[in-house]
Amino acid sequence: DLRGHMAMPATGVGLRSFGDDDGSGLTLKGIQLATRPRSTVTSPADGWVVYAGTFRTYGKLLIINGGGGYHVVLAGMERINVDIGQFVLAGEPVGEMGERKAVTAPIADIKAGQPVLYVEFRKDGSPIDPGPWWAKNSG
């Protein structure tokens, strides 16, 4: 029901899309958005927070279970404002970007250090293209 109606989790410029080369020779399983420093990150869907914490070199990572086998992964934040087990609503602030890029994957398209939010949708554990889910006026 949400296909074509979800708002982007942050205002930004799209760097790479689902299926693009990620800059290191691998295929991107989500999207990358260049944001402004300290941008607010919101939940694109209602759901339960199933993970909230640091993950490798990607800064803070948040996973939201939207039900029906769907999960949303948000990575690259400096701060997460929700807790595991918490129910969040679409549009609710869930985190904040930092002053600079947390993701270590090569991103030549932007000036060094600009914050980058990584967004991935999963259905039954497999990445899916989030493109069709965004509202036309989103982003």
Side-chain angles (χ1 to χ4, degrees):
D1 292 342
L2 292 177
R3 191 176 299 250
H5 298 287
M6 295 174 75
M8 286 280 191
T11 301
V13 176
L15 298 176
R16 291 196 174 99
S17 299
F18 181 86
D20 287 351
D21 183 313
D22 72 353
S24 67
L26 299 173
T27 301
L28 196 65
K29 294 177 171 126
I31 63 169
Q32 294 174 333
L33 290 174
T35 70
R36 291 185 177 201
R38 302 283 173 215
S39 290
T40 297
V41 178
T42 61
S43 177
D46 295 352
W48 296 97
V49 175
V50 294
Y51 183 85
T54 302
F55 184 75
R56 298 184 184 164
T57 58
Y58 290 90
K60 303 291 184 189
L61 183 132
L62 181 65
I63 301 175
I64 300 169
N65 179 348
Y70 289 96
H71 289 83
V72 177
V73 178
L74 303 168
M77 296 171 283
E78 182 172 283
R79 191 175 78 215
I80 292 176
N81 302 330
V82 294
D83 296 312
I84 294 173
Q86 182 176 340
F87 188 82
V88 295
L89 299 173
E92 182 176 342
V94 293
E96 182 180 289
M97 298 302 292
E99 290 290 330
R100 60 174 109 44
K101 175 175 61 118
V103 180
T104 59
I107 302 173
D109 310 60
I110 60 170
K111 59 186 175 189
Q114 185 171 1
V116 175
L117 179 66
Y118 176 75
V119 183
E120 182 176 304
F121 284 11
R122 292 183 154 276
K123 170 68 171 144
D124 298 325
S126 297
I128 61 171
D129 184 359
W133 295 85
W134 303 126
K136 301 245 184 282
N137 61 354
S138 182

